[in-house]
Amino acid sequence: MQIFMIILLSFLLVCAVSVSLSKSLLNSILIFMSYSLVMSVIWILLESPDLAITEAAVGAGVTTVLFFVTLKKIHAVVKTDGEDAESSKELCEEKKEKEGEKHE
């Protein structure tokens, strides 16, 4: 059981560092969600089921949904319609360049 707790804590540490180093907002949200799920498992192992349920519901559930809705509202998630991610990035960069030219 001690080894399992060490594995969970190390995974928690990796999630915390990688969410701050991630350049993609979508990846950051997914990493944050996994952080909350691991944290809820740790609360279960610490024999605190009320905190585990709260962490799973609020941390991994509600907060993640709110982050996804926010990304959609600010148009950070782009539909690719069969295109690969690289061409989608190129389209976004071209759009930003055109907007920059309009302002000049």
Side-chain angles (χ1 to χ4, degrees):
M1 188 59 114
Q2 189 72 17
I3 294 173
F4 183 62
M5 188 64 114
I6 291 171
I7 291 170
L8 284 175
L9 288 174
S10 62
F11 186 72
L12 204 64
L13 184 64
V14 167
C15 284
V17 170
S18 64
V19 77
S20 61
L21 297 177
S22 178
K23 295 184 190 239
S24 170
L25 292 175
L26 186 61
N27 287 344
S28 296
I29 292 171
L30 294 174
I31 294 168
F32 175 75
M33 183 178 66
S34 62
Y35 177 90
S36 294
L37 289 175
V38 170
M39 197 63 212
S40 66
V41 171
I42 290 174
W43 285 122
I44 291 279
L45 293 176
L46 292 174
E47 298 177 0
S48 183
D50 53 340
L51 287 175
I53 291 170
T54 304
E55 181 69 34
V58 174
V62 175
T63 307
T64 304
V65 169
L66 289 175
F67 280 146
F68 280 134
V69 169
T70 304
L71 283 181
K72 188 161 175 73
K73 293 264 185 193
I74 65 171
H75 303 292
V77 179
V78 179
K79 284 188 177 181
T80 57
D81 292 335
E83 299 172 352
D84 59 347
E86 191 64 35
S87 62
S88 170
K89 287 181 183 178
E90 290 172 0
L91 288 173
C92 289
E93 289 173 4
E94 288 175 8
K95 185 177 178 183
K96 288 178 185 177
E97 288 176 2
K98 286 179 183 177
E99 288 177 358
E101 292 172 0
K102 288 180 184 178
H103 293 291
E104 291 178 356

